[in-house]
Amino acid sequence: MPLPTAAITAGALLLGSAATLIPKALLSWPSPPTCAEGGATLHAPAFSALITCVAGAAGGALGIFYLFPAAARPAPLPLLRATLVPGALAFFSTLLQLGALLLLPAAVLAGLRGAFILFTAVLSARRGLKDAPVGAREWAAVGVAAGGAALVGGAAAGAAALYGGGGGGGVGASMGLRPAAATALGLALSLAGYGVATVVVAVEQRLLGGTSKWGILAGEGAAGVALGAAALGALGAARPAGGSGGAWAALDDPEHTLCCLRGGPAHPLWAAAYGLSSLGFNALLLVVAERVGPNQRVFVFTARGVLTWGVELAVAYAGGWGGGGGGGEGGGGAGPADKLHPLSAVEAAGYAALVCGGLWRASLVAAREAAAAAAPEAAAPLLGSVQDGPVDGKPRKQSN
């Protein structure tokens, strides 16, 4: 018996929020006291990006194995060659967003997705891609979603400047940054990550139009695994003798990462949970793309910021990730800007605009496509051909 649309959408929303919150917990959980940086956290965006790539490669491979007959399965080497460039770009996009997650609340990172909607719309219009907005109303809907992202980001920046604290915690302090500067850097990294993700969309549409969605997921994941392993090796070789102070506090320190993973059950469990949530979310998104309409899929991407915000507020009032005191060097606690403050109303308005703008655009696109599909019916020949292909383009995947 097939699952109802509401259950699929709710499952994707919950998994999407988990795939945003769990890496925040992984990167914010205090390090074991046995590690050289006993008061610090796990600052490991490349290691975390590698987890998502492993999950993507595994999920795509399982999908191909179970859903395709042996004769129709894509050959591994040609698939990897075809997805090498978008896979490298997708890894870099995820790396930037996980770097931003060191300095921002997870909900703010999710709320900035309205910028991705805007970037994708502009690039699609300039390059003549099929998902470009058509007409003033579709552009207005894009503007509403982008305005929601601006409100979310502006509220985060204002709260960090006025009240201190914020999602950066000990990482920003270790870099010698004030809360406002750490938040500004996090916002810049997030927008850069969404900018690279926009290029991934364009490259996939140009190069991979006939490739299976599961094949894209597997190929890009495998490319990311290779790139992530190389990045970790280079970072390990370049590690300064004094440890992870200064700017290095925002980069991977493989020695410190291994210490955290060996020093107790918390970090290994969060890492495993991140991989499983990422795998489940990517797989369920492909199901959503194939079985439900665009409104449900857009709702998953836009509404998860609201759900993530609610969970993060509960964590902040409980004392922060790991239950540790204030938002100081340990980074496990919560500062004033992590809890409700006078600018929280602006942030809430931003999430509302993001959801409304995204759903409005999806509704307009669905209506336009339905009208275009119905228009040729009267003039269609009796013996027409049916063109097979993806209805809604490329698969959508979460990064941080």
Side-chain angles (χ1 to χ4, degrees):
M1 178 179 178
L3 288 173
T5 296
I8 296 175
T9 304
L13 177 59
L14 291 173
L15 272 176
S17 183
T20 308
L21 283 163
I22 290 174
K24 183 63 180 180
L26 172 66
L27 297 171
S28 300
W29 206 268
S31 301
T34 54
C35 295
E37 303 174 10
T41 56
L42 177 68
H43 47 91
F47 170 73
S48 302
L50 182 60
I51 293 175
T52 68
C53 293
V54 171
L62 288 173
I64 291 173
F65 181 80
Y66 283 106
L67 298 178
F68 292 80
R73 292 171 191 165
L77 287 180
L79 177 63
L80 185 59
R81 284 196 295 266
T83 54
L84 185 59
V85 171
L89 291 172
F91 174 81
F92 187 49
S93 170
T94 304
L95 183 64
L96 288 170
Q97 293 182 50
L98 286 165
L101 200 58
L102 291 170
L103 303 165
L104 294 175
V108 173
L109 183 66
L112 291 174
R113 178 162 287 274
F116 176 61
I117 295 175
L118 175 63
F119 295 162
T120 304
V122 172
L123 182 61
S124 297
R126 291 183 63 88
R127 303 295 298 176
L129 301 179
K130 65 180 180 180
D131 58 349
V134 176
R137 288 195 299 171
E138 287 190 27
W139 278 109
V142 170
V144 171
L151 290 176
V152 171
L162 294 175
Y163 313 118
V171 172
S174 297
M175 296 175 65
L177 299 176
R178 295 180 179 272
T183 300
L185 177 59
L187 292 172
L189 289 173
S190 177
L191 292 176
Y194 282 130
V196 176
T198 302
V199 179
V200 175
V201 172
V203 171
E204 287 178 344
Q205 289 197 34
R206 289 294 190 190
L207 300 181
L208 305 173
T211 306
S212 157
K213 297 176 181 180
W214 294 95
I216 294 174
L217 182 61
E220 290 185 357
V225 169
L227 190 58
L232 287 175
L235 287 166
R239 180 183 186 271
S244 303
W248 198 266
L251 299 174
D252 282 69
D253 182 348
E255 183 176 320
H256 179 61
T257 299
L258 287 174
C259 180
C260 290
L261 294 174
R262 293 170 178 169
H267 288 98
L269 287 174
W270 283 123
Y274 184 29
L276 291 173
S277 64
S278 179
L279 188 155
F281 184 50
N282 283 331
L284 192 54
L285 274 182
L286 295 185
V287 175
V288 169
E290 293 169 356
R291 291 186 49 185
V292 302
N295 275 13
Q296 284 78 16
R297 201 175 64 165
V298 171
F299 176 75
V300 169
F301 279 112
T302 57
R304 71 180 189 175
V306 181
L307 180 58
T308 303
W309 187 36
V311 175
E312 278 197 313
L313 285 174
V315 169
Y317 281 103
W321 299 109
E329 289 297 321
D338 297 306
K339 301 178 181 179
L340 289 173
H341 47 74
L343 291 177
S344 294
V346 177
E347 189 172 357
Y351 292 124
L354 174 62
V355 175
C356 292
L359 290 178
W360 184 22
R361 168 87 195 285
S363 298
L364 292 172
V365 171
R368 171 165 55 85
E369 291 180 346
E377 287 184 359
L382 293 178
L383 297 177
S385 63
V386 178
Q387 181 179 4
D388 295 324
V391 175
D392 54 359
K394 61 173 292 299
R396 296 301 331 129
K397 297 176 295 177
Q398 197 20 12
S399 2
N400 343 334

